[in-house]
Amino acid sequence: MRLDIKGPSALLRRLRSVMAEPLEPQTRLDTIVRDIAASVDAEVCSAYILRADGLLELYATQGLKPESVHVSVLRVGQGLVGTIAASARPLNLSEAQKHPAFAYLPETGEEIYNAFLGVPILRAGRVLGVLVVQNKTNRVYTEAEVEALETTAMVLAELIATGELEGLSSKDVTLDLSRPLQLNGIPLSDGIGLGYVILHQPRVVVTNLFNETVDDELQRLRDALLKVQVSIDVLFKSGSVASEGEHRDVLEAYRMFAHDRGWNRRMEEAIRAGLSAEAAVEKVQSDNRARMMRIPDPYLRERLNDFDDLANRLLRELMGTSLDPKDAGIEGDHIIVARSMGAAELLDYNSDRLRGLVLEEAAPTSHVVIVARALGIPVIGQLSDIVDNAENGNAIIVDSDEGIVSLRPPLDVEAAYAGKIKFRAGRQAQYAKLRDKPSISKDGVPVSLNMNAGLLMDLPQLEQSGAEGIGLYRTELQFMVSSSLPRPGEQEELYRKVLDDAGDHPVTFRTLDIGGDKVLPYLKTIHEENPALGWRAIRLSLDRPALLRPQVRALLKAAAGRRLRMMLPLVSEVSELEQVKGLIKREVEMQTRFGHEMPTCLELGCMLEVPSLLYQLDELMAAADFVSVGSNDLFQFIMASDRGNPRVAGRFSPMSKPFLRVLKSILDKGIQTGTPVHLCGEIAGRPLSAMALLGLGFRSISMSSAAIGPVKAMLLELDIGELENALHSALAATSDDTTIMELLTDFADRHGIPY
Ligand code: PEP
Ligand code: MG
């Protein structure tokens, strides 16, 4: 029987009703291939679906022998069908047998067919299967027919994504889209988390595939495209984009894509074939992804992300979808999956349900990682391709012990993790037992172990972890979670609560460290070519006394009648410290005049993060009540190695001679001048590097609360005097027979020190 459904839009109309009918999955698939065959005058139409084991299985056919359905399989790369799956490109042949990749499957009876057209079934650039039509004659399929078949392949992609085809084949067959994936990355924050994927920038899911009237859809597309083009042009004209540099390159690429005629034409063609405007954008986006993902050039691959962003913008414009992650509507515990992310963005999520963070980019001292650590969330970074493989709502496990992410884990893996979590809970219980033990090394040296904090919710950790105090209170975190600039009264109340909750434990407040990648959503952002070296931290505070003065005032009032410890971030010259001293002095005088009670004792410290201070150590130690080494920033500036750039962040080790010698010179000067020297960067939180710090001479370090237990376990087993001797002579030596890292691991292993 011939169905009168000629033409791609008629076919799509027909498929729409097939998709809507309450049919058995196999019947629906059979109907679809039959209708496609009829529409393009083909004697054969077959759908091969990619299974998790990498085989393409014949799921439905019109024209080939029915008994070969769910029997015939081809490997990816094998035969014409396998070649299409491997390349994600269509194959259009008038004499299929002459193609070098042709492989004959006798059970299908396909030897009598000459003409062959196959297209990949794509979703977000991933190949999910192959759709093929064949004819006996040596015909050549037209461009329009190729286009039409690609368009109909989208319907099949949708069908596969719904999970409807799962279970149609023999038992134990899993489709590739639901294939469990295990990926290795770099652990950035400890812990194990189980939950469901939330894509930080969710792919917009197109639910309306088919159009009602072509002209209306074309108009919708043109309107949306114009809006996107205009918004990019406005960005350029607003002057907020620097005249050159990477940022501008990205926008240039955006603009180029947005005005690209080929892109536009292909989307319009897809609409003419019967797709809705959004489905047309998605189809062309998916084709582009498939093509570009196979390009080895890293620059072009990066442009692919720009292109993707642009297509997503267009989709959101068409569908009016917001990017608000809270819209994801995903039940249960959440694990965020993102290419990259700012610290403030992480705080947009409901932390009660957050169990992990997976990033394609990011390095151990990226601020988003520090915030995640403060929230106690495990993080794994540098996992390429996770975003493309994950779907919102997929089950996922983040294991920072091993640096492994399991996407769509099989049940036995989930069960194994339940056991592992139990084991960890046991280990935590052991750390908890250390909580009340004095933190003294094996050879009797007392060490002050403090925690870093930044939000009120961190405070309970003070008791739970057994930390002596808060060595670094990052005041900017509260500013980052607020939707508007916290008013002075609110700040005062918050700081008072922190001091109240901390009780006898000392708290060192760091004044605002914003700028760089710590962006306040409600303050105008200024594009800077090198934000880490830019207008941030104390520089910004000094230039904007309207920010610094209320903060100082709030701290002074909150600490009325008790001790106040304050420190300044990113100081480059001692004169900056002096300026703040002047501001504090004036504030104290004014508040006293108004009759406000002031702190009983005020200590003003300085963070040592900028190498220039190394050459002003005498002046610095004379001016500051204490110094706290911010090793995250100091290391990035000493090594000229961006802490947030994964390509270089792991390249050099802080446990190396140059950096440890720098730290030692600071400690020496501290001893000489009687100035306390602390350290509050991330290296304080890893048992092995913390051990090195103690061997160097540090006696007060500050770390994430979760690190206190493991670091204390190390301390209790450590003979500091012995390590000090070994480390100091290694640092003094000019030969490099063993690296410092080897020395440390060897020392720890020989003495049974846990790390
Ligand atoms: C540092 O730079 O080491 C530091 C503690 O400050 P932050 O990580 O907040 O920049
Ligand atoms: Mg810093």
Side-chain angles (χ1 to χ4, degrees):
M1 185 188 74
R2 282 291 303 267
L3 288 170
D4 186 19
I5 51 170
K6 287 281 165 116
S9 55
L11 172 61
L12 278 182
R13 262 202 305 283
R14 165 81 190 132
L15 293 186
R16 169 166 41 182
S17 56
V18 175
M19 290 292 273
E21 278 171 46
L23 297 174
E24 288 297 316
Q26 186 67 53
T27 315
R28 195 189 313 282
L29 195 57
D30 291 343
T31 313
I32 289 174
V33 292
R34 195 190 61 215
D35 289 353
I36 297 172
S39 168
V40 294
D41 265 343
E43 283 124 13
V44 173
C45 176
S46 313
Y48 296 83
I49 313 292
L50 184 58
R51 306 188 330 199
D53 58 6
L55 292 177
L56 291 146
E57 176 177 321
L58 181 63
Y59 260 61
T61 186
Q62 162 73 23
L64 298 184
K65 290 186 183 160
E67 54 272 30
S68 57
V69 171
H70 297 307
V71 173
S72 285
V73 288
L74 285 151
R75 268 180 291 106
V76 171
Q78 183 194 3
L80 300 178
V81 168
T83 304
I84 295 165
S87 65
R89 308 277 297 140
L91 263 185
N92 183 0
L93 308 166
S94 62
E95 286 182 78
Q97 288 86 342
K98 292 206 172 142
H99 191 282
F102 179 79
Y104 162 58
L105 294 177
E107 71 276 14
T108 62
E110 64 177 334
E111 67 277 16
I112 52 174
Y113 300 102
N114 283 303
F116 175 103
L117 168 61
V119 297
I121 300 170
L122 296 172
R123 183 174 165 85
R126 272 180 74 186
V127 175
L128 304 185
V130 175
L131 179 63
V132 174
V133 290
Q134 289 171 280
N135 281 85
K136 284 185 189 144
T137 55
N138 288 6
R139 66 176 281 198
V140 176
Y141 301 93
T142 63
E143 267 302 303
E145 282 169 327
V146 177
E147 189 72 38
L149 200 64
E150 284 183 327
T151 306
T152 29
M154 275 195 78
V155 179
L156 287 174
E158 188 59 33
L159 200 60
I160 298 168
T162 59
E164 192 174 306
L165 303 188
E166 210 77 51
L168 280 190
S169 181
S170 54
K171 62 174 175 33
D172 297 339
V173 163
T174 316
L175 294 188
D176 188 59
L177 191 70
S178 2
R179 172 168 54 113
L181 260 189
Q182 187 146 314
L183 300 162
N184 291 302
I186 309 278
L188 300 174
S189 168
D190 285 348
I192 294 180
L194 273 72
Y196 298 95
V197 168
I198 289 205
L199 288 168
H200 174 51
Q201 294 203 307
R203 268 194 299 281
V204 184
V205 180
V206 175
T207 43
N208 166 29
L209 281 182
F210 312 101
N211 77 41
E212 299 291 339
T213 44
V214 169
D215 288 345
D216 289 353
E217 287 308 287
L218 285 174
Q219 199 50 49
R220 283 184 63 226
L221 176 72
R222 285 174 197 143
D223 291 348
L225 194 58
L226 191 68
K227 278 198 190 141
V228 171
Q229 287 165 345
V230 167
S231 69
I232 295 170
D233 290 346
V234 166
L235 256 180
F236 266 93
K237 289 199 189 103
S238 67
S240 58
V241 181
S243 57
E244 50 192 282
E246 201 182 338
H247 189 70
R248 192 174 177 94
D249 287 351
V250 170
L251 274 169
E252 283 284 12
Y254 257 47
R255 185 151 73 166
M256 202 179 75
F257 285 131
H259 290 271
D260 182 77
R261 289 241 191 93
W263 186 46
N264 211 335
R265 184 182 45 76
R266 283 160 55 217
M267 290 189 294
E268 292 198 352
E269 271 165 15
I271 292 179
R272 287 202 182 89
L275 288 184
S276 65
E278 39 274 60
V281 177
E282 195 185 44
K283 174 184 178 295
V284 176
Q285 179 186 17
S286 196
D287 293 349
N288 275 345
R289 284 196 70 80
R291 195 158 342 121
M292 291 170 86
M293 273 158 80
R294 281 158 186 83
I295 299 174
D297 182 339
Y299 178 80
L300 282 179
R301 287 197 53 151
E302 240 168 62
R303 294 287 77 82
L304 167 68
N305 291 343
D306 302 339
F307 186 80
D308 233 22
D309 281 355
L310 187 70
N312 279 336
R313 263 181 193 232
L314 193 53
L315 281 175
R316 280 193 295 278
E317 193 61 58
L318 280 164
M319 299 173 73
T321 325
S322 89
L323 249 189
D324 188 345
K326 293 174 218 89
D327 285 348
I330 290 160
E331 302 288 328
D333 291 334
H334 294 165
I335 292 193
I336 301 172
V337 174
R339 284 194 212 286
S340 63
M341 194 178 198
E345 291 174 302
L346 179 62
L347 295 167
D348 279 344
Y349 289 86
N350 176 357
S351 60
D352 289 349
R353 292 169 68 189
L354 217 51
R355 296 291 174 270
L357 174 64
V358 179
L359 298 163
E360 290 197 350
E361 291 159 19
T365 54
S366 299
H367 281 120
V368 64
V369 175
I370 291 173
V371 172
R373 227 172 275 150
L375 295 171
I377 298 168
V379 184
I380 297 193
Q382 299 188 39
L383 270 162
S384 52
D385 296 342
I386 180 87
V387 171
D388 289 336
N389 280 294
E391 301 269 343
N392 258 343
N394 279 172
I396 184 169
I397 298 171
V398 177
D399 176 356
S400 277
D401 284 355
E402 306 291 337
I404 288 174
V405 169
S406 288
L407 188 60
R408 302 178 288 268
L411 283 178
D412 53 341
V413 173
E414 269 190 49
Y417 269 98
K420 202 163 172 179
I421 285 180
K422 224 164 154 188
F423 172 78
R424 279 182 72 88
R427 210 166 58 184
Q428 291 303 331
Q430 282 185 330
Y431 292 143
K433 280 197 202 131
L434 302 182
R435 191 174 52 198
D436 300 322
K437 281 201 170 188
S439 71
I440 296 178
S441 72
K442 203 170 174 186
D443 55 338
V445 181
V447 174
S448 172
L449 301 180
N450 299 280
M451 64 172 250
N452 297 344
L455 297 169
L456 259 187
M457 66 186 182
D458 294 327
L459 267 294
Q461 293 301 321
L462 202 42
E463 286 300 333
Q464 283 161 25
S465 67
E468 189 171 318
I470 297 180
L472 165 64
Y473 190 93
R474 293 182 163 102
T475 59
E476 65 274 7
L477 292 192
Q478 189 59 39
F479 282 66
M480 286 159 72
V481 290
S482 305
S483 51
S484 59
L485 195 71
R487 289 193 307 274
E490 286 169 346
Q491 291 186 50
E492 181 185 330
E493 203 177 309
L494 172 80
Y495 303 144
R496 182 172 297 115
K497 181 104 182 45
V498 172
L499 289 168
D500 288 348
D501 285 4
D504 293 336
H505 304 280
V507 180
T508 304
F509 290 96
R510 177 174 74 182
T511 61
L512 275 185
D513 185 1
I514 49 173
D517 74 337
K518 292 180 188 168
V519 181
L520 301 188
Y522 42 87
L523 281 195
K524 187 166 174 262
T525 44
I526 293 164
H527 173 73
E528 295 183 299
E529 217 40 57
N530 295 299
L533 308 178
W535 195 49
R536 54 174 281 214
I538 196 64
R539 303 164 184 189
L540 194 145
S541 293
L542 284 172
D543 291 354
R544 290 280 177 273
L547 271 179
L548 182 60
R549 200 176 302 123
Q551 182 175 40
V552 166
R553 189 177 303 161
L555 284 165
L556 289 170
K557 286 163 100 176
R562 41 191 168 180
R563 175 184 185 193
L564 174 62
R565 279 171 68 83
M566 242 161 85
M567 66 180 174
L568 312 177
L570 210 84
V571 170
S572 313
E573 288 183 343
V574 178
S575 63
E576 292 167 321
L577 184 68
E578 299 295 352
Q579 283 183 64
V580 178
K581 267 192 190 172
L583 184 142
I584 295 175
K585 189 163 168 279
R586 285 192 296 280
E587 255 332 292
V588 170
E589 281 165 8
M590 193 169 91
Q591 296 305 318
T592 314
R593 228 180 300 131
F594 283 126
H596 291 296
E597 192 185 1
M598 288 287 93
T600 48
C601 134
L602 198 163
E603 292 151 81
L604 182 64
C606 179
M607 288 198 72
L608 205 163
E609 300 174 288
V610 182
S612 61
L613 281 187
L614 298 173
Y615 304 93
Q616 307 166 67
L617 285 178
D618 283 313
E619 298 88 330
L620 175 70
M621 304 248 178
D625 294 317
F626 62 92
V627 166
S628 189
V629 179
S631 54
N632 305 335
D633 274 316
L634 184 61
F635 183 68
Q636 81 162 339
F637 296 133
I638 290 277
M639 291 311 213
S641 173
D642 183 350
R643 64 191 266 185
N645 178 344
R647 290 199 188 85
V648 295
R651 194 176 186 95
F652 308 109
S653 167
M655 294 299 108
S656 60
K657 278 188 186 172
F659 193 60
L660 294 185
R661 282 176 180 159
V662 167
L663 296 183
K664 183 157 183 321
S665 68
I666 304 168
L667 282 164
D668 288 347
K669 190 58 81 180
I671 291 168
Q672 194 190 324
T673 58
T675 312
V677 176
H678 316 281
L679 187 141
C680 59
E682 299 303 307
I683 52 172
R686 290 191 287 275
L688 204 65
S689 50
M691 186 181 93
L693 296 177
L694 303 182
L696 273 183
F698 281 97
R699 294 296 175 262
S700 169
I701 52 179
S702 193
M703 62 204 80
S704 68
S705 58
I708 299 270
V711 168
K712 194 166 189 179
M714 173 276 295
L715 170 71
L716 296 178
E717 296 302 322
L718 176 66
D719 185 327
I720 291 193
E722 192 183 334
L723 177 64
E724 218 158 22
N725 289 337
L727 197 54
H728 287 182
S729 36
L731 286 182
T734 46
S735 68
D736 260 335
D737 295 341
T738 45
T739 64
I740 299 289
M741 209 54 195
E742 283 164 353
L743 181 152
L744 295 171
T745 44
D746 178 62
F747 188 93
D749 289 342
R750 273 191 295 114
H751 293 80
I753 297 170
Y755 62 93

